[in-house]
Structure formats: C-alpha cells, structure tokens
Amino acid sequence: MRKHAIALGGAGLMLGISLLAAQAQTVAPTTPPEPPKFDAQQVPTFVGIKDIQEFKALPEYHEPDYVKAFVDAGKLPPVAERLPKEPLVYKTANMPDGIGTYGDVMRHVIGGRPEGWNYSAGQTQGWGGIDIGLSECLTRTGPLFQVKAEELEPLPNLAKSWEWSEDGHQLTMHLIEGAKWSDGDPFDAEDIMFYWNDVLLDPQVTPLNGASPETFGVGTTLEEVDPYTIKWTFKDVKPTQYLYAMAYGNFCPGPSHILKAEHPKYKDGATYDQFKNAFPPEYLNIPVMGAWAPVEYRANDIIVMRRNPYYWKVDENGNQLPYLNELQYRLSTWADRDVQAVAGSGDLSNLEQPESFVEALRRSAEESAPARLAFGARTISYSLYPNLSANGWGEPDARGQAVRELNRNLDFRKAVTYALDRQALGEALVKGPFTTPYAGGLMPPTSYYDNDSTVYYPYSLDDAKALLEKAGLVDTDGNGFVNFPADVVGGADVEITLLATSDYQTDKSLAEGVIAQMERLGLRVIAQFQAGNQRDANYQAGKFDWQVLRNGADLITVVQNTQNLAPTGPQISYNHRAGTDGTQDFLPFEQEMVDTVNSFVATADPAERIELMKTYQRLYTENLFAIGLTQYPGALIINKRFVNVPPGTPILQFNWAEDSLIRERLYVPAEQQSSNELFPDTLPGAPGVGNGPIKSN
Ligand code: GLA
C-alpha cells in the first residue's frame, strides 16, 4: 500500500529556492509495497539439533572397498585409526532417504576462478562451494534452516561441545579429539591458535570472508588450554551470538603444519604477499578437514576433488563419509551452471539469476527433465552501496573525495533512492511474480523483519530532482548532467563510478538499470564492470564510489554474521571501513547502527532483540545506509539421481546451499550411479608422494 502526502505545503513561499526544490518530498516515504504472492515450493521438516547429529564412538567402521585397498597395500592406516575418538555421527532418522551407498560424483559448474588455496590469507577458490567442501569450521550453520526456532543455535562441528563459565565471560570449547587433516597430520589446538594469532590477529592477513578479531567482539581473547581445549574470554556476558561467527567464513582454520612454514613471522625474509601466494591453484593436495581435497587443476577447465580418507564424520552404521567419491568443478560461467544443471550435464545449481528463470522452469517441468527444481523464499537481494568513508579509505582523488562527501549527504542519498524505479529494475530481469522492490536492510524472510519499521521511498523523479538541487547539484552547463558547485573540482560534471562484477548477468543488468535511471535524474554514472576477483579486491581496498552488490546471509538471518550488519569493526563493512588513520568517520546514524548491533549481540532477551532490530531497520532504511534495489526467490536445481536432499533446502539462508545440503550425506542409489568419476580408485596424495591423486597399487 502506498500513502501519498503533501509534506511541505507552504514551502513555495520560501525565497531563493527554485520551485523544484521547494516541492521536495511531495511523495512521502512509506512502507514497502506488498510483494506479489510467491510460495516456497517445499518447506523443511523442522527438527532439533540432536535429531541431526551427535558425537560418539561406534562399534565398527566401514569405508569404500577401494579405500580399503590402500589400507591393505600398507599405504593408509585402518579406518578406525583414521577417525577421531568420537566421530560426528549423522542420525539416520534425519536422512530423508536413509543410510547411503558409496560412489559417483557431483559435477559442479562455476563462474569463479581460483586464486589459490590460501583461504586464510584471503584467496578465493572460485566459490560455488569449493571452499565449503574443503574447509570445516568450529561451528556450522548452513543446515540450521531445518532447526526449530526454539532450539536454534549453531551446530557443533570442529568444536564438538562447549560450556560457559558461571559469570558468562568465558566459553570453553572442546575440539574433536584425534581427528586428522587429509594428509594424516593431527588436527588440534595448534591449528586453532595459528589461525587466531597469525591470521586473525595479524593485521596483514585477512581471510577470504573478511573475518577480523572484532568479528568475535572487541577485546575478545582466545587461549589454548590443552591440545583439545580452547578458551574464549569475552567482554560481554554470554554473547552466544559469536557461536554463529565461528561458522563458515570466519573460523575455518587452515593446516598450520603447512601454512606456518610460509608465514613471514616464521619464515625469514618472507613477505606477506609471498605467504598469500605460496599455494597457487597448481599446488595440489593442500591438506583439508573437509570431505574432499583437490587433486587436479586445469586453468579455465576444471578442479577435481577426491574423498578425504581421514574425514571425521560417519553415518549410524559406521560408514565413513562422504558417500560421494568425487566433486568436479567445471570452470565456466554462472549462467552455464544453470543451463548445465537443467540439461543434466551438471548436477547442481543455485538458480539465482532471474534471466534464467523462465527457461529453467519450462525445461524442468517436462517429465523427462533430468533435474528437480524448487523455488524457495525471497532471499536473494541486491543493494546499491555508496562509499561512506571520507577519511581516506581507498585513497580517492579530488573527484572521488567530492563524491564521498555527496554520498554522506542524506539529501543526495534520498535523491538517488527517489530516482530508482525498482519495479522496472525487477521487471527488466524477469517478468512475473518473482521480483519485488527492496527497501534495503533486513529482508522479509527473517523473523526480525518488521514492515512498519522499514522506510521505503517510492519512485518519484520530481522529488529526486528537487533533492539533488537541495544537495547543491545543478546542471550549470546545460549538458543534461548536474555539476559540482563551482568551488568543488572546478564545477565539473558530477561523475560517479559504479563497481559491479561482470561474472553475473544480473549484477550487470541491475547496474545498467541504475545507470539509465540516474541519467534521467541528471546524474552521470559510469559502469566499472570487473571480474569477480578483481571487483572483490577493489571493494576490499575501498576503491569505488558506488557498488551494486548481492547481499549475504546476514540480512536474512540476523543471527548469522550479526557483526556485519553495521560497521562494527574497522574492516567489517562493505561500504565504510577505516580510513588511512585507522579510524571510521561515522555519520551519527551509523554510530547508532553500530550501537544497536552491539546491544543486540550483548543481550539474549528475545523481546529486547526484536525491538533492537526494529530500531536497526529504521536507522538503515530511513538514512539509506545502503539503497535497496530488488529482492526475489532463488531455486535449487539438483539432478534427480541424488537422494538425501533435505526438503526445502534454500539456496541461501544461513549459508549457501552447498553447505545447507550437507553434501557429505548425499548419495546416488547403486542402480543410478553414473560412471562420471575422472579419477576412479584414487585418493588425494600426501605431500611428498607427489602431485595429483594417488592409487592403491
Ligand atoms: C557463488 C554463487 C552462489 C553460491 C556461492 C557459494 O557466490 O553465486 O550461488 O554457489 O558461490 O559460495
């Protein structure tokens, strides 16, 4: 519903302001329009955490015959010795199709490219779930989409249990005991402490998803108690929130026995750059804790991963997981991922680019379709992020600095938002009931979303033009684009660069849509389309005026990566990081956002949390911290031969589907198994054995 109101009735009498400016805000902000009805096609079966998994020793363990052949050949210790004292056991009752069969491969297709294997130092492996498949973290959140709200807390993972001290300041975590990296090296607190001391606390090393010490709270410390026990000390009392921060992306330690030797603190004369690049994609068999380890890389072609013979998770019959022997990652495009999954030459896609929806739906509806396709809730959203730093982040030149100052002007941000026709932006992606205008901030699928606390500026070009003039921008040279005031960069045309990735058609379409709509406003915006890795480097370095970005899980769940909801640390925000002097020059509302998020983390009181998120949402959307564009659902496409697919798995909620699906439990019934394995009967080679996969004989 839209409310129209005349906000400034008598303003026409004010002298010295043009008619346009005087008419500012004839269309008052309101709440977002009702989204078109679009129901999720499947809903999860909600369970408790103990229904999914537990840690316990089983009377016997099993492995695929071909892995047993390595044991028989004396190349691998027996399976019971490779497993921890108490493996993670998945409960059969929570597996939709029960205990599985070994074999087969999941063929992924991705648009990303690997920079190397040093995730801890910020290298991407190309996304699409490669890193999710090879790393394991203290806790796990992807599968929480199926956990009952009243029992919601992260799943134990590398940390198999934990307890809080009486005063709530200390959290003692017990690590899985006796688990090993994929090369057989013991996993223990040394790996955790290396990650804490030499990755997170080292300002020159930033892991891929940007975790920093503040991700776990300002002033938090971590210490080793013994090889299988670690102790956190927090300033707040019982901040259970940080358990979510210990999941994917933030606390997934790398193999310290390999990384340490290259780290500048331990290697004489090594630079941080050398450390980061010490494990290029060609470096194979990087030890992992995940279910599969990389054994083959061919540039612009493929990455192949084989089962980790030391994986520390089993089913209730004692079968060592994963069931699938191999993961393949074709290095192609994200659009090709959709096409191949629908056609059956790929096995999985997160259908997230609306440009592919209609065709994918049509093909999947056919009886003979090789893949299932199920839409979920509207969890995909895009926003326009203005760079809000004016104290040097990214070292802008005079023009860039002038744009930063405009970005910090609320009238300017309001002009931009009023000039956006979100309905048209969405329809340019796909027609039908998919997209809906997005105000920014929290998204409706989270229980914390409150429509009445969401400020939505409806499309009104007149208001936009008036606000631009109010912000001091007028087209002084009559070329159709507004100029800076005469004393700012010589009164030149305002020129704003818009950073976006060229890896996704959707990002490009939205950026182009924004540029066209800004042109109607009289604002010249210039596209800066870059491949994903380059785009990431530029936004991490603050080298952008505006950027169009697909939002992450934080705005959907609130409890996941809560710290990222506001610039709560110097390196945390997408659009406002610390300047050259290490400080953040917050606008007053940003400080309020930060305080609100910190208060949320510090309290466990549900009613208080709900109120805090209402405040957060109002601050965010009213002040346009970032400017929402569009929001729509995605669909999971998975080949029909896979079973144990949890019903209602969203493509993005607590994490991407590649985590939520629990791939280590997926299997292909024997009679449907393909012969697609590229490296049958092989295992990841231990370092020293040579590159690539090794055979038992
Ligand atoms: C990319 C893809 C997503 C998902 C993630 C996993 O971002 O676009 O669909 O596969 O990688 O990290």
Side-chain angles (χ1 to χ4, degrees):
M1 204 184 51
R2 288 184 179 200
K3 292 180 228 136
H4 292 269
I6 305 295
L8 285 176
L13 297 175
M14 284 151 88
L15 295 174
I17 300 177
S18 80
L19 193 61
L20 210 55
Q23 285 169 344
Q25 279 189 293
T26 51
V27 180
T30 171
T31 52
E34 189 77 34
K37 205 171 147 43
F38 191 89
D39 289 332
Q41 289 170 338
Q42 279 190 330
V43 280
T45 317
F46 290 98
V47 296
I49 287 175
K50 293 208 164 56
D51 298 321
I52 302 177
Q53 62 175 54
E54 67 185 320
F55 288 83
K56 75 170 185 197
L58 296 176
E60 52 182 82
Y61 297 106
H62 310 282
E63 60 198 323
D65 289 343
Y66 92 83
V67 181
K68 181 76 176 25
F70 280 83
V71 178
D72 294 342
K75 291 189 173 178
L76 204 62
V79 62
E81 288 171 29
R82 304 197 307 269
L83 287 165
K85 239 164 79 179
E86 294 185 324
L88 186 154
V89 183
Y90 285 115
K91 301 287 190 72
T92 314
N94 181 246
M95 297 190 191
D97 301 282
I99 300 281
T101 319
Y102 288 124
D104 213 334
V105 40
M106 183 167 257
R107 297 162 304 163
H108 293 263
V109 177
I110 56 170
R113 293 294 180 274
E115 290 171 331
W117 304 108
N118 202 346
Y119 189 95
S120 293
Q123 286 190 315
T124 172
Q125 282 76 61
W127 306 106
I130 302 187
D131 52 355
I132 295 172
L134 60 79
S135 38
E136 294 279 346
C137 320
L138 283 177
T139 62
R140 186 176 190 179
T141 57
L144 293 183
F145 73 90
Q146 54 168 316
V147 171
K148 295 179 206 157
E150 60 277 20
E151 289 191 30
L152 198 64
E153 77 165 352
L155 297 168
N157 202 49
L158 291 175
K160 67 171 179 173
S161 62
W162 50 79
E163 67 262 345
W164 293 91
S165 62
E166 210 144 298
D167 68 0
H169 286 292
Q170 290 180 330
L171 173 71
T172 302
M173 287 188 139
H174 305 281
L175 303 175
I176 176 127
E177 203 174 320
K180 301 186 173 65
W181 291 90
S182 55
D183 63 352
D185 193 84
F187 163 80
D188 54 27
E190 202 184 328
D191 297 303
I192 304 289
M193 295 319 295
F194 175 78
Y195 184 74
W196 178 253
N197 289 322
D198 300 318
V199 174
L200 292 179
L201 292 186
D202 188 330
Q204 309 219 55
V205 185
T206 305
L208 184 58
N209 277 16
S212 64
E214 292 76 24
T215 307
F216 308 91
V218 174
T220 297
T221 60
L222 179 65
E223 62 198 292
E224 172 177 345
V225 176
D226 64 46
Y228 297 111
T229 315
I230 54 171
K231 194 166 77 188
W232 296 88
T233 305
F234 301 105
K235 293 263 181 257
D236 289 335
V237 174
K238 217 176 168 195
T240 51
Q241 204 56 54
Y242 295 126
L243 292 169
Y244 289 89
M246 295 172 198
Y248 170 73
N250 296 328
F251 214 112
C252 318
S256 64
H257 63 290
I258 301 288
L259 299 182
K260 208 169 180 167
E262 301 297 331
H263 193 289
K265 190 163 142 193
Y266 306 94
K267 185 176 185 177
D268 278 350
T271 66
Y272 280 95
D273 231 31
Q274 285 165 344
F275 170 57
K276 180 170 181 173
N277 295 306
F279 309 95
E282 295 76 18
Y283 177 98
L284 290 169
N285 303 316
I286 183 94
V288 305
M289 289 302 288
W292 300 272
V295 299
E296 173 80 344
Y297 164 73
R298 293 196 293 261
N300 290 319
D301 181 4
I302 200 168
I303 291 172
V304 184
M305 296 157 77
R306 291 288 295 174
R307 61 180 311 118
N308 165 5
Y310 288 90
Y311 197 52
W312 43 284
K313 303 187 183 180
V314 301
D315 67 21
E316 278 189 301
N317 284 3
N319 297 310
Q320 186 185 31
L321 297 175
Y323 294 125
L324 299 172
N325 283 333
E326 191 173 296
L327 295 188
Q328 295 170 8
Y329 275 93
R330 282 279 167 208
L331 307 177
S332 178
T333 66
W334 294 111
D336 192 36
R337 176 170 75 167
D338 299 337
V339 171
Q340 294 217 40
V342 169
S345 51
D347 290 325
L348 182 88
S349 188
N350 298 331
L351 185 68
E352 61 197 357
Q353 300 197 73
E355 294 89 337
S356 316
F357 283 7
V358 173
E359 180 62 9
L361 269 171
R362 194 186 62 73
R363 291 284 311 271
S364 308
E366 290 163 11
E367 188 87 24
S368 60
R372 289 183 222 115
L373 181 154
F375 270 98
R378 281 196 180 86
T379 59
I380 307 292
S381 72
Y382 278 84
S383 300
L384 177 65
Y385 284 84
N387 191 328
L388 294 175
S389 162
N391 67 345
W393 180 40
E395 294 162 355
D397 58 13
R399 181 208 59 82
Q401 183 64 21
V403 172
R404 304 286 182 93
E405 263 138 37
L406 280 178
N407 287 343
R408 290 165 67 87
N409 177 334
L410 181 59
D411 286 327
F412 178 74
R413 297 197 301 283
K414 277 191 188 167
V416 173
T417 200
Y418 267 119
L420 287 170
D421 180 350
R422 293 171 173 81
Q423 194 67 35
L425 284 177
E427 277 172 13
L429 301 179
V430 63
K431 298 229 178 342
F434 302 104
T435 67
T436 190
Y438 169 50
L442 303 180
M443 288 190 250
T446 164
S447 51
Y448 287 103
Y449 176 79
D450 177 46
N451 208 53
D452 291 337
S453 307
T454 307
V455 178
Y456 180 74
Y457 296 91
Y459 174 54
S460 166
L461 200 52
D462 286 344
D463 282 311
K465 287 187 170 163
L467 282 157
L468 207 57
E469 194 174 325
K470 195 162 166 243
L473 303 183
V474 180
D475 178 13
T476 49
D477 54 9
N479 70 349
F481 291 108
V482 295
N483 296 68
F484 282 113
D487 55 345
V488 180
V489 280
D493 274 352
V494 174
E495 274 186 5
I496 298 172
T497 59
L498 176 56
L499 180 63
T501 173
S502 52
D503 285 8
Y504 299 90
Q505 184 53 45
T506 310
D507 295 58
K508 285 203 289 182
S509 307
L510 284 172
E512 274 157 5
V514 167
I515 289 170
Q517 296 189 356
M518 290 302 115
E519 192 174 327
R520 290 208 297 263
L521 174 63
L523 209 50
R524 175 177 276 153
V525 180
I526 297 154
Q528 198 184 348
F529 292 146
Q530 295 178 341
N533 295 348
Q534 169 112 46
R535 185 278 308 260
D536 288 350
N538 275 315
Y539 97 66
Q540 302 280 0
K543 300 214 176 290
F544 67 94
D545 297 339
W546 290 2
Q547 64 168 327
V548 162
L549 205 61
R550 191 178 65 191
N551 290 307
D554 39 6
L555 292 169
I556 308 167
T557 69
V558 176
V559 292
Q560 174 81 2
N561 293 334
T562 312
Q563 299 69 19
N564 298 3
L565 290 175
T568 54
Q571 300 304 328
I572 278 178
S573 174
Y574 286 138
N575 58 333
H576 200 166
R577 296 192 185 178
T580 30
D581 65 357
T583 66
Q584 282 158 294
D585 53 349
F586 289 140
L587 295 164
F589 82 91
E590 292 184 279
Q591 186 61 57
E592 287 181 64
M593 279 174 64
V594 168
D595 295 344
T596 307
V597 169
N598 287 339
S599 305
F600 180 92
V601 170
T603 178
D605 183 78
E608 208 182 314
R609 289 188 141 201
I610 288 172
E611 285 311 309
L612 283 165
M613 275 303 128
K614 287 184 182 170
T615 304
Y616 170 84
Q617 180 74 343
R618 180 165 291 284
L619 285 167
Y620 189 123
T621 55
E622 188 161 46
N623 294 293
L624 301 157
F625 175 65
I627 299 171
L629 297 173
T630 188
Q631 182 175 355
Y632 56 82
L636 183 72
I637 308 180
I638 185 161
N639 193 281
K640 287 177 181 165
R641 71 182 197 288
F642 293 91
V643 301
N644 266 354
V645 178
T649 308
I651 69 162
L652 176 64
Q653 194 174 337
F654 289 91
N655 195 357
W656 288 99
E658 292 90 339
D659 184 13
S660 315
L661 275 170
I662 320 186
R663 279 179 298 179
E664 61 270 31
R665 289 186 339 186
L666 296 182
Y667 72 96
V668 179
E671 63 284 3
Q672 288 173 49
Q673 291 200 355
S674 73
S675 52
N676 290 328
E677 285 179 60
L678 284 175
F679 291 91
D681 301 329
T682 62
L683 288 177
V689 174
N691 268 354
I694 55 165
K695 274 191 165 294
S696 62
N697 47 34

